[in-house]
Amino acid sequence: MTQDFTLRHVALLLPFLFWNVAVAHPGKVNAEGCHTNRKTGEYHCHEGHSKASTESTVVQQQATPQTLSAATPAHNLPSGDILKLDYDGFTVWLDCKERAAIKFRYNAQRDSGNLKRYDKFELDPNVSASCQQFTSKAYGNGYDRGHQVPANHLDASANAIHQSNDMTNILPQTSQMNRGAWLLTEEIIECYRDIDDLLVLGGVVWGNDTSNDIFVSSHGVRTPDYFYKVIVRGTGADERAIAWVVPNSTDATKRKLDRYLVSIDELEKLTGETFPVADYAKHEKPASSWLIPHGCNKS
């Protein structure tokens, strides 16, 4: 599988739902009167012409037939719907048809805890069996039970750590990718959250490689061909963002992470997703991933 992720992969990708749009609130804005709400993770504008655009996006979301509110009872969910699950400190969007979370979002703020990781993996008792994996058992065959949102970024809350091990947050990841390039993105977040409040967004790209879909019968899930992640820091004219599309392969080691860098603009074209990032920051792609600061405590 080719490791450099470019626009030629568009044909492999599936469209995703738009991120929710939040109401405006005070804070620093850029020259266009826009900024990212760090509490909700949404990019919005305070100018009149931009407000109309935001309202249009809201209408588009409400018209999406398979978008459900968090209040929808789990037992009423038919297969094929999207369920928004608000856990303690993070949110995932669960595709009942895929029995898997297709995207996630959370805010990574200054590290204020160091609770131990919860070792047991579980099904979520509040989610319909028709919407999640058959079992919480290990995948095997060289694949880890890979977190989309890592427990280490939630280590100020025992409940959040526990919930991060629900299978609604877990998908098959090759051990090399999970403990390599994907882990390095998590370490970057762990270090930079002590410098700035971070907005973290991500999700899966299923792709069309069926050879790795070896857990459909045992767990009910396909194996994503790629995982993507976006980190946003700063506000107003100081807003910066970085994004990766990491192949779920044995080649995705830490030293290869820079190969998977993409601009936000490119990622939007690849996924069909709209990310809450200022327009001027969407076209920038760093030459390399953000460096781990000297002396950073990754625990």
Side-chain angles (χ1 to χ4, degrees):
M1 179 162 41
T2 301
Q3 301 305 308
D4 295 321
F5 205 90
T6 65
L7 288 174
R8 66 177 178 273
H9 293 81
V10 172
L12 302 180
L13 309 181
L14 300 177
F16 291 86
L17 300 175
F18 288 100
W19 298 101
N20 296 334
V21 176
V23 296
H25 72 97
K28 294 182 179 180
V29 298
N30 58 27
E32 297 174 339
C34 306
H35 66 155
T36 299
N37 183 331
R38 284 289 173 266
K39 295 299 183 182
T40 64
E42 309 305 336
Y43 179 73
H44 59 266
C45 305
H46 293 272
E47 300 295 332
H49 68 279
S50 299
K51 180 179 179 181
S53 175
T54 300
E55 290 173 348
S56 174
T57 305
V58 173
V59 171
Q60 184 177 13
Q61 284 183 238
Q62 292 173 341
T64 304
Q66 294 184 346
T67 300
L68 302 178
S69 69
T72 304
H75 61 270
N76 289 336
L77 292 173
S79 179
D81 282 331
I82 305 298
L83 176 61
K84 179 175 178 283
L85 301 177
D86 290 312
Y87 289 112
D88 186 2
F90 68 100
T91 299
V92 300
W93 282 260
L94 186 71
D95 186 334
C96 290
K97 181 180 178 181
E98 297 287 354
R99 297 180 178 272
I102 57 173
K103 65 181 181 180
F104 61 87
R105 184 184 76 199
Y106 65 101
N107 289 90
Q109 298 174 316
R110 182 173 292 276
D111 193 355
S112 59
N114 194 25
L115 296 175
K116 292 183 178 180
R117 178 170 172 171
Y118 185 64
D119 292 331
K120 187 177 180 181
F121 291 82
E122 299 173 328
L123 299 178
D124 187 333
N126 298 313
V127 174
S128 169
S130 66
C131 289
Q132 59 181 321
Q133 298 180 48
F134 300 152
T135 177
S136 61
K137 292 181 179 179
Y139 295 117
N141 294 288
Y143 286 84
D144 292 341
R145 286 173 292 194
H147 291 74
Q148 297 207 59
V149 179
N152 195 38
H153 298 168
L154 307 167
D155 57 4
S157 167
N159 187 48
I161 290 178
H162 189 133
Q163 290 177 337
S164 73
N165 269 26
D166 283 354
M167 294 300 287
T168 48
N169 183 46
I170 303 298
L171 276 170
Q173 293 180 343
T174 65
S175 59
Q176 292 85 352
M177 178 264 197
N178 180 42
R179 308 173 198 187
W182 195 247
L183 175 60
L184 183 52
T185 68
E186 295 172 353
E187 291 176 345
I188 290 171
I189 294 169
E190 182 66 25
C191 293
Y192 280 82
R193 70 172 176 160
D194 281 337
I195 301 172
D196 225 337
D197 284 355
L198 306 177
L199 169 64
V200 184
L201 312 161
V204 305
V205 176
W206 297 111
N208 64 356
D209 181 6
T210 59
S211 67
N212 59 7
D213 294 332
I214 57 179
F215 307 110
V216 174
S217 60
S218 62
H219 289 73
V221 293
R222 294 191 290 157
T223 301
D225 291 349
Y226 300 88
F227 289 82
Y228 70 86
K229 183 175 291 183
V230 177
I231 309 174
V232 187
R233 60 180 295 210
T235 58
D238 296 326
E239 185 171 281
R240 297 175 59 194
I242 192 169
W244 303 269
V245 179
V246 182
N248 191 11
S249 75
T250 58
D251 292 331
T253 58
K254 281 187 174 183
R255 65 185 179 85
K256 294 182 179 179
L257 181 61
D258 290 352
R259 296 187 184 187
Y260 314 136
L261 282 164
V262 294
S263 67
I264 303 299
D265 179 65
E266 183 180 15
L267 185 59
E268 289 185 336
K269 293 175 181 177
L270 290 169
T271 63
E273 190 64 74
T274 299
F275 297 100
V277 177
D279 286 342
Y280 63 82
K282 287 188 175 184
H283 307 290
E284 299 176 356
K285 183 175 76 172
S288 61
S289 301
W290 294 346
L291 296 176
I292 300 293
H294 180 70
C296 170
N297 183 354
K298 301 175 186 177
S299 63

